[in-house]
Amino acid sequence: FPGTPVAVLHTSRDGHWWFVASERYSAWIEQRRIALGDAVEVFRYADSPPPYLIVTGAAVETVFTPERPSLSKLRLDMGVRSPLLPNRQHTVNGQHPFTAYTIELPERRADGTLRLTPALIPRSADVATDYLPLTPRNLLTQSFKFLGERYGWGHAYEGRDCSGLVSEIYASFGVLLPRNTGDQAASPALNRIAFDTPVSHEQRLQTIRALQVGDLVYIPGHVMLVIGHADGMTWVIHDTVGVTYLDDDGQPQRITLNGVSVTPLEPLRVSATESYIDRITAIQRLRP
């Protein structure tokens, strides 16, 4: 996610990796992926006021530019925000910008220091000049932009995993979620419906029937986004390796999905004797 501010806390013994902390996550990252700047410069960029450009598609790319390979065809995922620069009368990286948006992106110099550089996003790209209104219709629209994308744990395969999916959907509305499902499910900053004490299956079903578009349903290690109710079922969109259900003989059957999929919630099983509903740890309901 180009432009994410991090604090570098520790260096690996071989010097190739840094342990960093961001707003949503702490992790090891390759040292070559980071440009070092002073705090004033970094946070000026990260907290830049409007105008800015928000990626509202599943992903967009900067235009191809042989003049600046580090910013050529650079992928920006949904929710990424970049300062929007005034359109210039001269070329940007070898191209006139009148058919594009000129944004400012961080670039790593050869010595590892930060340089902020203009780059172009085509006018045809799925972007917006402000965060989207957080409405049920927009939630559905943003969610379905990922339908069929390959599952990628930790954003492998140029895709994302279950928590990455819901994080990016909500990022397009300006809502910042923790990176991992466990942290998302436990966050007190959201409107949490907890299942910390024993709750009967029937009580859980009653809660499920009252779910609204955009509610996030958590079981250990997984999150699903509710898209509505139909045919007596609660339907969810989620990025999943696969699902299990009971066949006509009551035997569990596993289906490999490996992608962003729409499924009903009620039939999903952890095992022959336990359903997803029985494993729900929390529901998070977000408000504008």
Side-chain angles (χ1 to χ4, degrees):
F1 299 98
T4 302
V6 300
V8 179
L9 304 180
H10 189 66
T11 304
S12 65
R13 187 172 298 163
D14 62 9
H16 296 316
W17 294 80
W18 282 341
F19 189 78
V20 304
S22 72
E23 289 180 295
R24 305 189 304 134
Y25 199 47
S26 296
W28 288 97
I29 187 171
E30 290 179 285
Q31 182 257 8
R32 66 187 179 91
R33 301 287 186 182
I34 298 177
L36 287 180
D38 65 72
V40 172
E41 181 181 33
V42 168
F43 288 113
R44 180 200 67 78
Y45 178 87
D47 300 329
S48 59
Y52 39 65
L53 201 67
I54 311 294
V55 177
T56 49
V60 303
E61 289 184 338
T62 58
V63 300
F64 175 82
T65 169
E67 289 82 0
R68 197 168 289 279
S70 62
L71 298 180
S72 178
K73 304 288 285 184
L74 180 66
R75 176 187 169 108
L76 304 175
D77 290 282
M78 183 180 286
V80 168
R81 184 183 79 181
S82 301
L84 184 60
L85 301 177
N87 262 347
R88 306 170 182 227
Q89 297 303 312
H90 55 80
T91 59
V92 175
N93 303 332
Q95 180 177 339
H96 198 283
F98 81 107
T99 57
Y101 296 101
T102 305
I103 63 172
E104 190 176 44
L105 286 175
E107 188 178 20
R108 189 178 190 272
R109 294 188 178 98
D111 64 358
T113 57
L114 173 66
R115 172 170 54 200
L116 297 173
T117 308
L120 297 180
I121 297 288
R123 289 269 174 182
S124 59
D126 190 344
V127 295
T129 54
D130 201 354
Y131 289 112
L132 300 175
L134 183 53
T135 65
R137 182 183 182 89
N138 282 343
L139 276 164
L140 293 173
T141 299
Q142 292 303 99
S143 301
F144 275 80
K145 289 178 181 180
F146 295 103
L147 188 63
E149 180 184 82
R150 175 75 185 220
Y151 175 86
W153 185 82
H155 284 73
Y157 308 135
E158 293 192 349
R160 56 221 88 214
D161 52 27
C162 63
S163 57
L165 173 72
V166 300
S167 294
E168 291 183 34
I169 291 169
Y170 271 103
S172 65
F173 303 101
V175 178
L176 197 64
L177 298 179
R179 174 62 184 86
N180 288 339
T181 54
D183 295 330
Q184 289 179 8
S187 174
L190 310 175
N191 295 284
R192 184 169 184 258
I193 303 171
F195 292 82
D196 298 328
T197 57
V199 180
S200 71
H201 183 77
E202 185 55 39
Q203 289 174 309
R204 288 171 178 266
L205 278 177
Q206 290 178 12
T207 303
I208 294 304
R209 293 177 187 132
L211 291 177
Q212 301 173 13
V213 172
D215 286 349
L216 301 177
V217 180
Y218 294 88
I219 65 172
H222 192 54
V223 57
M224 300 159 279
L225 188 145
V226 175
I227 59 172
H229 302 271
D231 303 322
M233 296 286 184
T234 305
W235 292 81
V236 295
I237 188 168
H238 50 143
D239 207 344
T240 181
V241 173
V243 295
T244 300
Y245 68 98
L246 299 182
D247 63 17
D248 293 340
D249 297 323
Q251 297 302 310
Q253 298 294 327
R254 181 72 174 172
I255 300 177
T256 298
L257 295 175
N258 270 331
V260 178
S261 308
V262 170
T263 67
L265 174 57
E266 285 85 349
L268 300 184
R269 311 291 298 187
V270 177
S271 66
T273 58
E274 192 174 26
S275 69
Y276 270 34
I277 291 174
D278 295 322
R279 293 293 301 277
I280 292 174
T281 59
I283 294 166
Q284 294 282 22
R285 176 167 294 166
L286 281 73
R287 290 284 179 265

